[in-house]
Amino acid sequence: DVPPRRRACEALAGIGAPARASAPLLTAALRASLSKGGEYPETEFRIAACKALAAVAPNDPDTVRVLIESLEDRQNVYGATDALRTVGPAAVPALRKALADKDPNVAAGAVTALKYFGPDAAPAVPDLIDLLRNSPSEQTSDALAWVGAPAAE
């Protein structure tokens, strides 16, 4: 049995941009769920809400902000990362800031999302290099490789 809030998010994601008016409600519901925490079905709702927001309002700055906030939720880091990938390069400035977050899950999620933008994430190269110097990881090295060697020059 699929919880109704998750089902509603899945329906909105399927509608996409024509459901843009739902973005403020989705944002508020996602923030409330993040502050509440909790296990299933709450985690399933958060993942579905991230996907729905990315589908209905990918260019909305509030969407990007709440998706970055969602990276702090260890159980939703991949859902938030996937949604940020859907948002596309418009998320790069916020992801650059997230690279410096004290929560390693947030930084790791940002690295993963940036990796998928390839050369479009070139503005984040200096931040990725700093992160690699301070916290060496294969994940960050991979992201730099995906962003592209010319961007790192």
Side-chain angles (χ1 to χ4, degrees):
D1 184 36
V2 177
R5 292 185 311 149
R6 180 176 138 205
R7 189 174 305 132
C9 288
E10 291 168 349
L12 289 168
I15 294 169
R20 188 179 183 329
S22 66
L25 293 173
L26 280 168
T27 299
L30 179 55
R31 281 198 173 110
S33 180
L34 287 167
S35 69
K36 179 169 52 170
E39 300 292 325
Y40 177 86
E42 212 54 42
T43 54
E44 294 293 321
F45 165 71
R46 289 191 294 267
I47 292 167
C50 286
K51 182 177 180 180
L53 273 167
V56 304
N59 299 318
D60 185 329
D62 286 336
T63 294
V64 175
R65 277 192 288 277
V66 75
L67 292 176
I68 294 289
E69 292 169 26
S70 296
L71 291 172
E72 296 175 14
D73 176 14
R74 289 177 189 235
Q75 296 171 341
N76 186 34
V77 72
Y78 295 109
T81 299
D82 193 46
L84 285 161
R85 286 179 27 209
T86 301
V87 167
V92 170
L95 288 167
R96 289 181 69 188
K97 290 179 185 174
L99 289 172
D101 199 283
K102 292 178 179 156
D103 184 335
N105 290 320
V106 174
V111 168
T112 300
L114 287 166
K115 169 182 168 181
Y116 290 100
F117 297 143
D120 288 334
V125 167
D127 307 295
L128 288 166
I129 291 170
D130 285 346
L131 183 63
L132 191 59
R133 284 184 184 133
N134 297 326
S135 300
S137 77
E138 187 173 328
Q139 180 185 19
T140 305
S141 294
D142 287 349
L144 279 166
W146 279 85
V147 168
E153 292 175 357

